[in-house]
């Protein structure tokens, strides 16, 4: 999978992909992540990537030309219907479709290239959305100053789902949400920490009992904090 991130803050991403699973996936060439400074495609003297909104109002709006030029250079065309196969152009925006595990799974399955456009909170010229963008994604119902943290979240969520990205010791199938439930609680050494003891059942060696306990705890936790997951209701 090849990711291209378009941003006005490339330094934001300096080290964020250099740890853990993503670092390993890069080294194993399971993913390639390229970060591009949008200013490179801002052709005016001051490399301006934003301007005041037509019609008036607060804040600045991202200009469309640098994004069009970037997409043309990266994908060979700014005509969405002519993009290379298995290519997506994702705009990170609070106006997007909420990111869920199933959405990440869809991107991981059968896509080879994802271009991520980091919008700024105040907005991006609508012609980018109309002509270039295949998917608009939000990472939740709260306000971020820009799409950069959301791009990091999306790259992480997709990368861990790619074949061979996780070592054998880990499995994406066992992750929270892949079965629609939150995870059960985990414990490790010591067995007794300041009087707080590890539940007996986990020390019993009885795997049927342990599985049953874990299932119960996962259900209990999900009922407590994320009832919506059990009701199949779409909510954050
Ligand atoms: Cl993708 N962008 C911004 N600016 N805010 C957000 C978001 C994205 N997702 C949730 N809030």
């Amino acid at each position: 999978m090849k990711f291209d991130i378009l941003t006005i803050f490339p330094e934001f991403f300096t080290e964020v992909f250099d740890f853990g699973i993503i670092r390993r996936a890069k080294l194993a060439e399971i993913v390639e992540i390229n970060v591009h400074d949008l200013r490179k495609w801002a052709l005016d003297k001051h490399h301006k990537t934003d301007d005041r909104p037509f019609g008036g109002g607060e804040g600045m709006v991202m200009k469309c030309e640098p994004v069009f030029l970037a997409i043309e250079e990266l994908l060979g065309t700014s005509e969405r219907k002519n993009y290379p196969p298995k290519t997506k152009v994702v705009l990170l925006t609070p106006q997007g479709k909420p990111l869920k595990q199933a959405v990440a799974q869809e991107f991981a399955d059968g896509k080879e290239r994802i271009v991520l456009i980091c919008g700024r909170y105040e907005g991006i010229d609508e012609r980018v959305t109309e002509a270039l963008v295949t998917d608009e994604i939000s990472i939740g119902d709260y306000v971020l100053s820009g799409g950069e943290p959301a791009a990091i979240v999306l790259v992480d969520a997709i990368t861990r789902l790619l074949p061979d990205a996780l070592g054998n010791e880990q499995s994406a199938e066992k992750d929270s949400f892949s079965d629609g439930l939150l995870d059960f609680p985990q414990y490790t050494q010591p067995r007794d920490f300041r009087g707080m003891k590890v539940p007996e059942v986990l020390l019993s060696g009885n795997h049927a009992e342990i599985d049953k306990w874990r299932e119960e705890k996962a259900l209990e936790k999900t009922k407590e904090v994320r009832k919506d997951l059990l009701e199949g209701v779409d909510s954050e």
Side-chain angles (χ1 to χ4, degrees):
M1 176 78 78
K2 186 165 169 178
F3 293 104
D4 290 279
I5 300 175
L6 299 178
T7 173
I8 55 170
F9 298 126
E11 293 86 358
F12 207 98
F13 300 91
T14 319
E15 294 191 320
V16 74
F17 299 126
D18 291 341
F19 303 91
I21 305 245
I22 300 184
R23 175 188 142 87
R24 231 187 34 204
K26 277 166 57 179
L27 292 172
E29 297 182 13
I30 294 165
V31 286
E32 179 184 328
I33 306 171
N34 300 307
V35 178
H36 309 274
D37 188 347
L38 259 177
R39 263 173 245 282
K40 176 178 160 193
W41 292 283
L43 302 182
D44 64 293
K45 199 167 64 187
H46 300 291
H47 298 284
K48 238 166 88 123
T49 54
D50 60 7
D51 209 332
R52 300 213 304 274
F54 278 123
E58 295 292 301
M60 300 288 270
V61 174
M62 272 172 77
K63 290 163 68 69
C64 58
E65 187 180 49
V67 186
F68 271 73
L69 294 174
I71 294 290
E72 280 159 3
E73 185 171 328
L74 293 174
L75 301 182
T77 176
S78 50
E79 297 204 42
R80 193 162 41 199
K81 65 176 189 315
N82 294 333
Y83 287 162
K86 303 184 177 181
T87 297
K88 291 282 196 187
V89 174
V90 175
L91 175 64
L92 283 318
T93 164
Q95 276 73 53
K97 166 171 156 179
L99 178 61
K100 299 278 150 96
Q101 191 64 18
V103 175
Q105 187 73 59
E106 267 177 50
F107 284 117
D109 291 340
K111 300 293 171 288
E112 284 171 6
R113 184 136 191 217
I114 300 178
V115 181
L116 304 167
I117 304 169
C118 302
R120 49 183 297 167
Y121 171 66
E122 294 89 341
I124 184 161
D125 191 300
E126 186 65 16
R127 289 165 289 192
V128 168
T129 317
E130 279 171 7
L132 302 177
V133 170
T134 61
D135 300 83
E136 292 177 86
I137 298 289
S138 158
I139 61 163
D141 294 340
Y142 40 81
V143 174
L144 302 171
S145 316
E148 283 77 9
I152 295 166
V153 167
L154 188 56
V155 167
D156 190 309
I158 294 170
T159 299
R160 33 182 309 110
L161 292 172
L162 297 173
D164 304 324
L166 303 185
N168 333 331
E169 75 275 15
Q170 285 153 307
S171 140
E173 273 111 69
K174 288 196 189 140
D175 280 350
S176 293
F177 299 112
S178 43
D179 62 359
L181 294 183
L182 302 180
D183 263 355
F184 50 78
Q186 298 275 24
Y187 296 85
T188 185
Q189 302 287 358
R191 288 170 179 228
D192 184 335
F193 179 67
R194 300 182 182 173
M196 296 179 278
K197 295 191 177 58
V198 174
E200 274 303 321
V201 60
L202 299 178
L203 313 173
S204 68
N206 182 336
H207 286 285
E209 280 298 310
I210 291 170
D211 287 349
K212 188 164 145 253
W213 181 88
R214 286 179 164 169
E215 214 169 288
E216 279 166 16
K217 286 291 172 185
L219 195 59
E220 215 172 85
K221 182 77 182 174
T222 310
K223 264 187 194 146
E224 187 186 318
V225 301
R226 292 296 307 274
K227 231 172 180 241
D228 58 290
L229 290 177
L230 297 171
E231 290 158 357
V233 175
D234 222 41
S235 99
E236 299 310 286

